[in-house]
Amino acid sequence: MSPSLSRAALYARIPGGDDGRRMLWITLINKAGTGLWMGAAALYFTLVAGLPVAEVGILMGISGTAGIAGAPLAGHLADRFPLTRVLVAAQVQQALALLALLTTHDFTLMLLCSAAGSLGDRGSNVLTRLYSARVGGADRIRYQAVQRTVSNAGWGIGGLAAAATLGLGTTHAYQALLIGNAVSYAVVAALTLRCGEPKAPSRVVTGSGTRASAVPPPNPWRDRTYLLFTATETMLFLDDAVLQVGMPLWIVHATTAPHGLAPLLMVLNCALVVFCQLPLSRFAGTAQSARRLLLPLGGFFTAGCLAMTASSRGSTWTAVSALVVAAIALTVAEMLHATASWELSVALAADGAQGAYLGVHGLASSAQRSGGPLLVTAVIAAGPAAWPVLGAGVVLTCAVQSRLVRSRLPDPALSVPTVTVSEH
């Protein structure tokens, strides 16, 4: 078989049909733009806007708090309005919020702009996950793994461009990265308008074809197990804050490593996900197997924290080597969590209220966006010995979550219904 035919066959095997493949292109462009900005955001606030480290942590923490409302709001709207149109609104909101940052260096105004962007970001994340679940159907685990692979390829492209631009070290260079991200949101909003609306599962049909009786839609706010699961997820999303906020600030303020290493480590993170996320998805074919990934997740996160401690001692090369090890270990933890979290969040969600449930689950990453930067900057302020303590907290959380969901998951725990129909 020729290389072109092989590529065509691989392309055809992607779940979701044309709309699924179109959304993967949207993801690539979106994350390439995000990669331009996120690796430089903390440094922009510090070096261009002139904010001290403490204010950077406060700004990112409070804006993350405002973004918490974006997840349940987006999930609620997606159960009532066309999913793609709600997603477009979130993308446009993010573009406008970013461009507004260019107009001021005032802390309060920058906080308001960041909060508006965070609201759209948290909402669009939930909407994208919901789109993946609907368009992927029974192959949702594989589709989500492909999407994360494409997503991190985009991150890598943006991160490489950011690393080259940051080498200039000028205000205009940082502003160019911000504008590039805003333009990417505008482009993906236009492309999303061309996507078809995926069908939403609304009820399950029994083997005899009898329709289930009409019942009120399940309410995730009354589902104690799901709420507790979401609460533990908040801690497990901390790899995001460590990699995007903690590591750049740690490099600048606690190590002798060059500042340009920060975006390069983000590129390393993306490359590892591109090559490893899809193979790792095979270990979560059922919800029970996804639950078993929690133990190694905690181990790799702790290893990354120990490497962060080691990076503050010794020569520049020692610092660089330790930071590379930390980035690799934290990335493995990130991939394990992404696989487990994706399957468990959908498996535990009730049919007929998928958007509402995933919206509630989105509170975990939103809360991490709020509290994560504050916690990570507190760890940085406390010194090298605080990193292993953070790792121990993640290990404990993994153990708690594993015990919590075990009784909720049947064995075998194939979480995709055999037959579903849609009212659309």
Side-chain angles (χ1 to χ4, degrees):
M1 182 179 291
S2 68
S4 61
L5 289 177
S6 297
R7 286 192 294 270
L10 179 62
Y11 187 73
R13 290 175 56 199
I14 295 174
D18 290 340
D19 285 332
R21 291 188 283 270
R22 188 175 292 114
M23 185 56 70
L24 293 179
W25 281 106
I26 291 170
T27 298
L28 179 68
I29 297 170
N30 185 8
K31 296 307 179 183
T34 304
L36 287 174
W37 171 242
M38 290 307 296
L43 300 180
Y44 175 90
F45 291 130
T46 299
L47 303 178
V48 177
L51 301 180
V53 173
E55 286 193 358
V56 172
I58 293 172
L59 184 149
M60 300 185 79
I62 295 178
S63 63
T65 300
I68 289 176
L73 177 60
H76 175 81
L77 292 174
D79 281 337
R80 288 156 178 79
F81 299 99
L83 173 57
T84 52
R85 299 305 184 263
V86 182
L87 180 56
V88 167
Q91 292 162 341
V92 171
Q93 179 178 346
Q94 291 174 87
L96 295 176
L98 272 174
L99 292 175
L101 284 174
L102 294 172
T103 66
T104 182
H105 288 168
D106 178 76
F107 174 79
T108 301
L109 293 177
M110 294 184 77
L111 175 59
L112 293 174
C113 296
S114 297
S118 180
L119 188 72
D121 175 67
R122 295 296 85 200
S124 63
N125 279 357
V126 168
L127 296 169
T128 301
R129 291 181 63 226
L130 184 57
Y131 192 97
S132 299
R134 291 179 178 176
V135 80
D139 290 328
R140 66 170 181 248
I141 298 175
R142 185 162 165 264
Y143 183 80
Q144 189 266 349
V146 172
Q147 188 174 56
R148 286 206 85 237
T149 299
V150 171
S151 174
N152 280 270
W155 272 94
I157 294 170
L160 285 173
T165 305
L166 286 175
L168 300 176
T170 65
T171 297
H172 292 307
Y174 282 97
Q175 291 173 337
L177 296 177
L178 186 154
I179 293 172
N181 191 17
V183 169
S184 73
Y185 285 129
V187 171
V188 299
L191 293 176
T192 303
L193 287 171
R194 300 180 59 191
C195 289
E197 183 68 17
K199 294 184 178 180
S202 55
R203 58 185 182 273
V204 178
V205 177
T206 63
S208 62
T210 302
R211 185 188 303 180
S213 60
V215 294
N219 186 347
W221 297 103
R222 296 179 179 177
D223 190 331
R224 182 173 176 271
T225 299
Y226 202 87
L227 291 176
L228 291 174
F229 166 70
T230 298
T232 58
E233 284 282 88
T234 302
M235 188 72 175
L236 301 188
F237 274 110
L238 272 178
D239 56 78
D240 182 67
V242 174
L243 287 166
Q244 294 188 19
V245 179
M247 192 165 284
L249 293 177
W250 186 253
I251 288 172
V252 171
H253 297 283
T255 77
T256 57
H259 296 182
L261 180 64
L264 293 178
L265 291 178
M266 291 303 300
V267 173
L268 174 62
N269 167 269
C270 296
L272 288 171
V273 174
V274 166
F275 288 106
C276 301
Q277 184 69 69
L278 187 56
L280 280 176
S281 70
R282 299 171 185 172
F283 294 100
T286 68
Q288 287 286 8
S289 59
R291 181 182 67 84
R292 288 192 287 270
L293 295 179
L294 294 172
L295 180 60
L297 187 168
F300 277 103
F301 190 97
T302 301
C305 288
L306 292 173
M308 292 287 281
T309 297
S311 69
S312 64
R313 299 181 173 89
S315 65
T316 298
W317 285 111
T318 299
V320 170
S321 299
L323 287 166
V324 170
V325 171
I328 292 173
L330 290 168
T331 299
V332 174
E334 173 195 351
M335 291 187 291
L336 292 174
H337 178 241
T339 301
S341 175
W342 166 253
E343 176 57 19
L344 292 175
S345 64
V346 178
L348 295 172
D351 293 325
Q354 206 176 59
Y357 268 78
L358 292 183
V360 168
H361 181 259
L363 290 173
S365 58
S366 298
Q368 184 279 141
R369 287 289 183 94
S370 172
L374 294 174
L375 179 58
V376 167
T377 52
V379 169
I380 293 173
W387 286 110
V389 176
L390 181 63
V394 169
V395 170
L396 178 61
T397 303
C398 288
V400 170
Q401 184 180 113
S402 178
R403 183 177 180 83
L404 174 69
V405 303
R406 181 174 56 187
S407 61
R408 177 80 167 254
L409 303 174
D411 193 13
L414 295 174
S415 59
V416 180
T418 303
V419 182
T420 60
V421 297
S422 172
E423 295 178 343
H424 297 285

